[in-house]
Amino acid sequence: MTLTSWIRRITLVAASMAPFAVSAAPTEVNLYTTREPALVQPLLDAYTANTGIKVNTVFLKDGLAERVASEGARSPADVLMAVDFGNLTDLVDKGVTQSVKSKVLEAAVPAQLRDSDGNWFALSMRARTLYAAKDLKDLKNFTYEELADAKWKGKVCVRSGQHPYNTALIAHMIAKHGEAYTETWLRGVKANLARKAGGGDREVARDILGGLCDVGIANSYYVGLMRSGAGGADQKQWGDGIQVLLPTFKDGGTHVNVSGAAIAKHAPNRDNAVKLLEFLVSDEAQGIYAKANFEYPVKAGATVDPIIAALGTLTVDSVSVSEISKHRKAASLLVDKVGFDN
């Protein structure tokens, strides 16, 4: 055999071994996430206990899509986890995800809470609820549209319109009724504000209890954080001092936002990554989500924390979060156009 033939043979053998070299850590998976460590770690510990697969985690404050895009094909990321469906669709827009077909995921996650091409899946939900003074009556069938009713003039408290929680709700209103209706609605809500839009969701409860306003919009999981005492004695008083309801759209259900995850485009441990996502929609993991941060499980029938269950039956609106996400930019522009935060 000639020297040239030997070199060609060695090259072919090396090439055939390359795929095995890439998956050199079959019992590991690499997670990049913007979620808080205290919320995620119990889930990861349970996954490792169940599968023997170690999870190496990179916690990021922001810039998840940019980080993975900059790493390119050499990125070690397997799973990308984020809060807010806008951030999940940003991952797709930046081309850092890959499509996944999984009967487990498709059975557990409702169609309106996942990407239609399988690029990401919701793992937990939070509802945009109505906080209200305890002495108010007849709020059972309250709709988001009613926030613009003149009867609430000077009685509404809410955080910034540019906060992702509110731009998501406004985007949902556009998806339901169009931009012209939503602009009129947003001007009506602004006219009803008791104070300048700002602060956090829990401050809405504080200001209702303090008599500054009568109603406001805020997330469901803050109810759990306040009423459980996890946020301290003052917040427990705020949470116990208000009533909380699940509003709907006039012709639909309640607005929710999600936390979710995607498989990275160049995931070196793809099989383990899919296993992790499938574990996160299991009954065990969905129960941990509910307990750790008072979030709603996405899987039907999974355990809901008693504090959140007491709010009533959650009926998620049928418009897909992917469709709502298309209107985020228009929602942000409307907030500026009507001077909502001024």
Side-chain angles (χ1 to χ4, degrees):
M1 183 177 291
T2 66
L3 177 61
T4 301
S5 298
W6 271 108
I7 292 174
R8 184 182 295 115
R9 182 173 181 180
I10 291 170
T11 301
L12 289 172
V13 170
S16 68
M17 293 178 64
F20 301 98
V22 169
S23 55
T27 58
E28 295 187 5
V29 63
N30 302 318
L31 169 68
Y32 283 20
T33 179
T34 56
R35 300 222 67 183
E36 295 179 20
L39 301 179
V40 174
Q41 199 57 53
L43 292 159
L44 306 182
D45 291 344
Y47 173 70
T48 300
N50 275 272
T51 64
I53 298 172
K54 178 185 177 185
V55 183
N56 306 308
T57 309
V58 175
F59 292 103
L60 302 168
K61 185 176 181 180
D62 48 34
L64 174 60
E66 291 76 10
R67 165 77 176 264
V68 180
S70 68
E71 291 176 344
R74 301 180 65 180
S75 174
D78 293 307
V79 175
L80 312 175
M81 182 184 292
V83 174
D84 184 69
F85 55 73
N87 290 324
L88 293 167
T89 55
D90 283 347
L91 294 173
V92 180
D93 292 344
K94 284 191 165 49
V96 298
T97 64
Q98 61 173 287
S99 177
V100 172
K101 293 294 182 186
S102 162
K103 291 181 179 178
V104 173
L105 290 168
E106 291 168 7
V109 184
Q112 76 264 39
L113 300 178
R114 51 183 159 89
D115 177 63
S116 59
D117 294 324
N119 280 287
W120 57 264
F121 297 83
L123 302 172
S124 65
M125 302 183 290
R126 60 280 306 276
R128 208 69 180 136
T129 64
L130 180 76
Y131 291 4
K134 276 200 165 180
D135 59 349
L136 291 179
K137 308 294 183 186
D138 302 324
L139 296 176
K140 183 179 178 181
N141 298 314
F142 194 92
T143 66
Y144 296 111
E145 289 88 343
E146 287 181 64
L147 285 169
D149 192 310
K151 72 179 181 182
W152 298 112
K153 189 171 181 59
K155 298 179 180 179
V156 177
C157 285
V158 68
R159 70 192 311 165
S160 165
Q162 290 292 7
H163 191 280
Y165 295 161
N166 281 337
T167 53
L169 175 61
I170 297 165
H172 199 157
M173 189 68 74
I174 294 173
K176 301 286 285 188
H177 299 300
E179 283 193 41
Y181 175 94
T182 303
E183 180 178 343
T184 301
W185 173 78
L186 199 57
R187 290 186 186 280
V189 177
K190 176 176 171 56
N192 288 342
L193 293 179
R195 56 163 169 75
K196 182 178 177 179
D201 280 6
R202 281 171 280 199
E203 281 69 37
V204 173
R206 179 198 65 190
D207 291 345
I208 290 173
L209 186 61
L212 180 60
C213 40
D214 284 351
V215 296
I217 292 293
N219 273 356
S220 52
Y221 68 88
Y222 287 121
V223 180
L225 293 172
M226 290 188 292
R227 289 182 174 175
S228 67
D234 286 347
Q235 290 188 22
K236 187 170 190 339
Q237 185 180 16
W238 302 346
D240 290 340
I242 60 170
Q243 55 176 318
V244 182
L245 301 103
L246 293 169
T248 65
F249 289 96
K250 276 182 180 176
D251 59 346
T254 298
H255 169 76
V256 299
N257 207 326
V258 302
S259 73
I263 304 298
K265 183 177 181 178
H266 302 291
N269 303 292
R270 186 182 189 280
D271 290 348
N272 289 348
V274 174
K275 287 179 184 175
L276 176 55
L277 260 62
E278 291 178 343
F279 172 77
L280 292 174
V281 298
S282 67
D283 289 340
E284 179 182 358
Q286 290 285 285
I288 294 173
Y289 268 114
K291 185 178 295 183
N293 198 37
F294 304 99
E295 294 176 89
Y296 284 101
V298 293
K299 185 178 183 181
T303 302
V304 180
D305 185 271
I307 294 176
I308 301 303
L311 302 182
T313 302
L314 172 66
T315 302
V316 179
D317 192 68
S318 59
V319 178
S320 74
V321 291
S322 293
E323 176 62 26
I324 299 168
S325 187
K326 296 175 183 175
H327 302 285
R328 285 183 301 145
K329 183 177 181 180
S332 178
L333 291 173
L334 276 185
V335 170
D336 286 343
K337 185 177 182 180
V338 307
F340 192 84
D341 290 344
N342 298 336

Coordinates of all heavy atoms in Angstrom, one line a residue, residues 2-40:
T2 N 0.6 2.2 -0.9 CA 1.4 3.4 -1.0 C 1.1 4.3 0.2 O 0.1 4.2 0.9 CB 1.0 4.2 -2.3 OG1 -0.3 4.6 -2.2 CG2 1.2 3.3 -3.5
L3 N 2.0 5.3 0.4 CA 1.9 6.3 1.5 C 0.6 7.1 1.3 O -0.2 7.3 2.3 CB 3.1 7.2 1.5 CG 3.0 8.3 2.5 CD1 2.9 7.7 3.9 CD2 4.3 9.2 2.4
T4 N 0.3 7.4 0.0 CA -1.0 8.2 -0.2 C -2.2 7.4 0.2 O -3.1 7.9 0.8 CB -1.0 8.6 -1.7 OG1 0.1 9.3 -2.1 CG2 -2.3 9.4 -2.0
S5 N -2.2 6.1 -0.1 CA -3.3 5.3 0.2 C -3.5 5.2 1.8 O -4.6 5.2 2.3 CB -3.1 3.9 -0.4 OG -3.1 3.9 -1.8
W6 N -2.4 5.1 2.5 CA -2.5 5.0 4.0 C -3.1 6.3 4.5 O -3.9 6.3 5.4 CB -1.1 4.8 4.5 CG -0.7 3.3 4.7 CD1 0.2 2.6 4.0 CD2 -1.3 2.4 5.6 NE1 0.2 1.3 4.4 CE2 -0.7 1.2 5.4 CE3 -2.2 2.6 6.6 CZ2 -1.0 0.1 6.2 CZ3 -2.5 1.4 7.4 CH2 -1.9 0.2 7.1
I7 N -2.6 7.4 4.0 CA -3.1 8.7 4.5 C -4.6 8.8 4.2 O -5.4 9.2 5.1 CB -2.4 9.9 3.8 CG1 -0.9 9.9 4.3 CG2 -3.1 11.2 4.1 CD1 -0.1 10.9 3.6
R8 N -5.1 8.4 3.0 CA -6.5 8.4 2.7 C -7.3 7.6 3.6 O -8.4 7.9 4.1 CB -6.7 8.0 1.2 CG -8.2 8.1 0.8 CD -8.3 7.7 -0.7 NE -7.6 8.5 -1.6 CZ -6.6 8.1 -2.4 NH1 -6.2 6.9 -2.3 NH2 -6.0 9.0 -3.2
R9 N -6.8 6.3 3.9 CA -7.5 5.4 4.8 C -7.6 6.0 6.2 O -8.7 5.9 6.8 CB -6.7 4.1 4.8 CG -7.4 3.0 5.7 CD -6.7 1.7 5.6 NE -7.4 0.7 6.3 CZ -7.0 -0.6 6.4 NH1 -6.0 -1.0 5.7 NH2 -7.7 -1.4 7.2
I10 N -6.5 6.5 6.7 CA -6.6 7.1 8.1 C -7.6 8.3 8.2 O -8.3 8.4 9.1 CB -5.1 7.6 8.5 CG1 -4.2 6.4 8.7 CG2 -5.2 8.4 9.7 CD1 -2.8 6.8 8.8
T11 N -7.6 9.1 7.1 CA -8.5 10.2 7.0 C -10.0 9.7 7.1 O -10.8 10.3 7.8 CB -8.3 11.0 5.8 OG1 -7.0 11.5 5.8 CG2 -9.3 12.2 5.7
L12 N -10.3 8.7 6.3 CA -11.7 8.1 6.3 C -12.1 7.6 7.7 O -13.2 7.8 8.1 CB -11.8 7.1 5.2 CG -11.7 7.6 3.8 CD1 -11.6 6.4 2.8 CD2 -12.9 8.5 3.5
V13 N -11.1 6.9 8.3 CA -11.4 6.3 9.6 C -11.7 7.4 10.6 O -12.7 7.4 11.4 CB -10.3 5.4 10.1 CG1 -10.5 5.1 11.6 CG2 -10.2 4.2 9.3
A14 N -10.9 8.5 10.6 CA -11.1 9.6 11.5 C -12.4 10.3 11.3 O -13.1 10.6 12.2 CB -9.9 10.6 11.3
A15 N -12.8 10.4 10.0 CA -14.1 11.1 9.7 C -15.2 10.2 10.2 O -16.2 10.8 10.7 CB -14.2 11.3 8.2
S16 N -15.1 8.9 10.1 CA -16.2 8.1 10.6 C -16.4 8.1 12.1 O -17.4 7.8 12.6 CB -16.0 6.6 10.1 OG -14.9 6.1 10.8
M17 N -15.3 8.4 12.8 CA -15.3 8.5 14.3 C -15.8 9.8 14.8 O -16.1 10.0 16.0 CB -13.9 8.2 14.8 CG -13.5 6.7 14.6 SD -11.8 6.5 15.3 CE -12.1 6.7 17.0
A18 N -15.8 10.9 13.9 CA -16.1 12.2 14.4 C -17.4 12.4 15.2 O -17.4 13.0 16.2 CB -16.0 13.2 13.2
P19 N -18.5 11.8 14.7 CA -19.8 12.0 15.4 C -19.7 11.4 16.8 O -20.3 12.0 17.7 CB -20.8 11.2 14.5 CG -20.2 11.1 13.2 CD -18.7 11.0 13.4
F20 N -19.0 10.3 17.0 CA -18.9 9.8 18.4 C -18.0 10.7 19.3 O -18.3 10.8 20.5 CB -18.3 8.4 18.3 CG -19.1 7.5 17.5 CD1 -18.8 7.2 16.2 CD2 -20.2 6.9 18.0 CE1 -19.5 6.4 15.4 CE2 -21.0 6.0 17.3 CZ -20.7 5.8 15.9
A21 N -17.0 11.3 18.7 CA -16.2 12.2 19.5 C -17.0 13.4 20.0 O -16.9 13.9 21.1 CB -15.0 12.7 18.6
V22 N -18.0 13.9 19.1 CA -18.8 15.1 19.5 C -19.7 14.8 20.7 O -19.8 15.6 21.6 CB -19.7 15.5 18.3 CG1 -20.8 16.5 18.8 CG2 -18.9 16.1 17.2
S23 N -20.2 13.5 20.8 CA -21.1 13.2 21.9 C -20.3 12.4 23.0 O -20.6 11.4 23.4 CB -22.2 12.3 21.4 OG -21.7 11.2 20.7
A24 N -19.1 13.1 23.3 CA -18.2 12.4 24.3 C -18.7 12.4 25.7 O -18.1 11.7 26.5 CB -16.9 13.1 24.2
A25 N -19.8 13.1 26.0 CA -20.3 13.1 27.4 C -21.7 12.7 27.4 O -22.7 13.4 27.5 CB -20.2 14.5 27.9
P26 N -22.0 11.3 27.2 CA -23.3 10.8 27.0 C -24.2 11.0 28.2 O -25.4 10.8 28.1 CB -23.1 9.4 26.6 CG -21.8 9.0 27.2 CD -21.0 10.3 27.1
T27 N -23.6 11.2 29.4 CA -24.4 11.4 30.6 C -24.5 12.8 31.1 O -24.7 13.1 32.2 CB -23.8 10.5 31.7 OG1 -22.5 10.9 32.0 CG2 -23.8 9.0 31.3
E28 N -24.4 13.8 30.1 CA -24.4 15.2 30.5 C -25.3 15.9 29.5 O -25.5 15.5 28.4 CB -23.1 15.8 30.5 CG -22.1 15.2 31.6 CD -20.8 16.0 31.7 OE1 -20.7 17.0 31.0 OE2 -20.0 15.6 32.5
V29 N -25.8 17.0 29.9 CA -26.6 17.9 29.1 C -26.3 19.4 29.5 O -26.1 19.6 30.7 CB -28.1 17.6 29.1 CG1 -28.7 17.9 30.5 CG2 -28.8 18.4 28.0
N30 N -26.2 20.3 28.6 CA -25.8 21.7 28.9 C -27.0 22.6 28.7 O -27.6 22.7 27.6 CB -24.6 22.1 28.0 CG -23.4 21.2 28.1 OD1 -23.1 20.8 29.2 ND2 -22.8 20.8 27.0
L31 N -27.3 23.3 29.8 CA -28.5 24.2 29.8 C -28.1 25.6 29.9 O -27.3 26.0 30.8 CB -29.4 23.8 31.0 CG -30.5 24.8 31.3 CD1 -31.6 24.8 30.2 CD2 -31.1 24.4 32.7
Y32 N -28.6 26.5 29.0 CA -28.4 27.9 29.2 C -29.8 28.5 29.6 O -30.8 28.2 28.9 CB -28.0 28.6 27.8 CG -26.6 28.4 27.4 CD1 -25.8 27.4 27.9 CD2 -26.0 29.3 26.5 CE1 -24.4 27.3 27.5 CE2 -24.7 29.2 26.0 CZ -23.9 28.2 26.6 OH -22.6 28.0 26.2
T33 N -29.9 29.3 30.6 CA -31.2 29.8 31.0 C -31.1 31.2 31.6 O -30.1 31.5 32.3 CB -31.8 28.8 32.1 OG1 -33.1 29.3 32.5 CG2 -30.9 28.6 33.3
T34 N -32.2 31.9 31.5 CA -32.3 33.2 32.1 C -33.2 33.1 33.4 O -33.5 34.1 34.0 CB -32.9 34.2 31.1 OG1 -34.2 33.7 30.7 CG2 -32.0 34.5 30.0
R35 N -33.6 31.9 33.7 CA -34.5 31.8 34.9 C -33.6 31.8 36.1 O -32.4 31.5 36.1 CB -35.2 30.4 34.8 CG -36.2 30.3 33.7 CD -37.5 29.7 34.0 NE -38.3 30.6 34.9 CZ -39.4 30.3 35.4 NH1 -40.0 29.1 35.2 NH2 -40.1 31.1 36.2
E36 N -34.2 32.2 37.3 CA -33.5 32.3 38.5 C -33.0 30.9 39.0 O -33.8 30.0 38.9 CB -34.3 33.0 39.6 CG -34.7 34.4 39.2 CD -35.5 35.1 40.3 OE1 -35.6 34.5 41.4 OE2 -36.2 36.1 40.0
P37 N -31.8 30.8 39.5 CA -31.3 29.5 39.9 C -32.2 28.8 40.9 O -32.4 27.6 40.8 CB -29.9 29.9 40.5 CG -29.5 31.1 39.8 CD -30.8 31.9 39.6
A38 N -32.7 29.5 41.9 CA -33.5 28.9 42.9 C -34.8 28.2 42.3 O -35.3 27.3 42.9 CB -33.9 29.9 44.0
L39 N -35.3 28.7 41.2 CA -36.5 28.2 40.6 C -36.2 27.0 39.7 O -37.0 26.1 39.6 CB -37.2 29.3 39.7 CG -37.6 30.5 40.5 CD1 -38.3 31.5 39.5 CD2 -38.5 30.2 41.6
V40 N -35.0 27.0 39.1 CA -34.7 25.9 38.2 C -34.0 24.7 38.8 O -34.2 23.6 38.4 CB -33.7 26.5 37.1 CG1 -33.2 25.4 36.1 CG2 -34.5 27.6 36.3

